[in-house]
Amino acid sequence: DAGVIQSPRHEVTEMGQEVTLRCKPISGHNSLFWYRQTMMRGLELLIYFNNNVPIDDSGMPEDRFSAKMPNASFSTLKIQPSEPRDSAVYFCASRQGLYGYTFGSGTRLTVV
Amino acid sequence: DQQVKQNSPSLSVQEGRISILNCDYTNSMFDYFLWYKKYPAEGPTFLISISSIKDKNEDGRFTVFLNKSAKHLSLHIVPSQPGDSAVYFCAASVDSNYQLIWGAGTKLIIKP
């Protein structure tokens, strides 16, 4: 298995533009998580899905952020419009059981 | 309210010596604790865990100690090696099906 696959690895965009981050979880994992890592707050959980259903989106910063999981093998995190303070590394993780938590390599987002 | 706290943003240790990374938590309902290791440009990877029914778990050079009365756990690395230089995250969960709550991370630097 190739692990959790995130794309793109790096994204540089101008303020106001729409940004879409993509994640392919490990096959068979039934939970998917989107995290944001910043120097100030470390790893923040944005949203997580269980069996493709959003369970907890209380970590989503504001309405500019949205996430979807149309099927078990794909999820997106969209920011529209993007702002400079959204610059961070965004991680996707999937799991099957507590110890099966596997992270992708992350997307480094820079909004200028 | 941070339920899992890693109060040291960074730690520098001489190669060959012991590295001790600390983590405090506030929620007495936590019963699983995990340590993850993160290299630059990669996602966190699972390192070692401990259940609340134990006070120590050892895996090679890595040992995690849990003090439930003090709501404190620590990760010991002996002997420290240059490849141990990374960011270490402490995480906790109420049960095996619940989401992980993460600390902000501690950057460990092993000096040659």
Side-chain angles (χ1 to χ4, degrees), chain A residues 9 35 45 95 99 101 104, chain B residues 32 36 41 43 97-99 102:
Chain A
R9 288 297 305 271
Y35 283 92
L45 177 65
R95 77 168 190 187
Y99 301 120
Y101 234 94
Chain B
Y32 283 94
Y36 277 72
N97 289 319
Y98 202 70
Q99 61 173 299
W102 296 82

Side-chain angles (χ1 to χ4, degrees), chain A residues 11 13-14 16-20 78-82:
Chain A
E11 176 78 38
T13 190
E14 290 185 348
Q17 296 297 307
E18 176 181 296
V19 175
T20 299
K78 186 177 292 186
I79 309 172
Q80 166 64 20
S82 58

Side-chain angles (χ1 to χ4, degrees), chain A residues 9 33 35 37-45 48 56 89 91 95 97-106 108, chain B residues 2 32 34 36 38 41-46 49-51 87 89 93 95-100 102-105:
Chain A
R9 288 297 305 271
F33 304 79
Y35 283 92
Q37 184 190 12
T38 62
M39 290 293 292
M40 294 296 295
R41 299 189 176 193
L43 275 173
E44 296 178 272
L45 177 65
Y48 86 93
D56 183 357
V89 181
F91 287 103
R95 77 168 190 187
L98 183 68
Y99 301 120
Y101 234 94
T102 304
F103 283 81
S105 297
R108 180 174 293 278
Chain B
Q2 267 192 305
Y32 283 94
L34 304 92
Y36 277 72
K38 184 188 176 304
E42 294 182 12
T45 55
F46 172 73
S49 64
I50 189 167
S51 164
V87 177
F89 290 97
S93 175
D95 61 45
S96 61
N97 289 319
Y98 202 70
Q99 61 173 299
L100 292 176
W102 296 82

